[in-house]
Amino acid sequence: MMANHQLAKAIADCGWSEFLRQLEYKAKWHERKIGAINRWFPSSKRCNSCGHILDKLPLEVREWTCPSCNSHNLRDKNAALNIKAVGQTVLACGLSSSGDQSLTDLVILG
Ligand SMILES: [Zn+2]
């Protein structure tokens, strides 16, 4: 995300590392787990209904219709649902995000 100059300043301004530090602290405090997905996981471009992945999705496109299942997707909600599915897959399989198998592979196999 930092490579995108439009987003880089906004991300840098929000204190991303401080947010992660706080999140890890709170998770440990409440005995919760934190996972991270592969930075290249196509969370926005992957249809949460059927798994179809678009070749490209410009940042300015906030809504799109899946050419495979005709599902209408809101970019951010679709990405959130895909990330949630990855987290549920990891929890169901009992794997940690630091394992050898990438989360992207888990989603494709699931
Ligand atoms: Zn679809």
Side-chain angles (χ1 to χ4, degrees), residues 76-97:
D76 293 341
K77 182 178 181 183
N78 180 62
L81 290 171
N82 281 323
I83 292 168
K84 179 181 177 184
V86 169
Q88 290 174 330
T89 301
V90 170
L91 287 174
C93 294
L95 301 173
S96 73
S97 61

Side-chain angles (χ1 to χ4, degrees), residues 47 49-50 52 66 68-69 71:
C47 174
S49 296
C50 72
H52 178 82
C66 177
S68 180
C69 72
S71 169

Side-chain angles (χ1 to χ4, degrees), residues 23-88:
L23 187 62
E24 289 172 354
Y25 170 78
K26 295 290 185 181
K28 187 175 181 180
W29 183 273
H30 295 284
E31 299 180 358
R32 302 288 188 206
K33 295 178 181 176
I34 296 177
I37 63 170
N38 183 315
R39 67 181 294 192
W40 302 113
F41 177 71
S43 59
S44 297
K45 298 191 302 185
R46 181 184 183 276
C47 174
N48 74 79
S49 296
C50 72
H52 178 82
I53 299 174
L54 298 175
D55 290 335
K56 54 184 168 181
L57 183 64
L59 188 59
E60 65 271 14
V61 177
R62 308 308 300 172
E63 301 178 22
W64 55 278
T65 300
C66 177
S68 180
C69 72
N70 214 29
S71 169
H72 184 76
N73 296 306
L74 301 177
R75 184 188 187 107
D76 293 341
K77 182 178 181 183
N78 180 62
L81 290 171
N82 281 323
I83 292 168
K84 179 181 177 184
V86 169
Q88 290 174 330

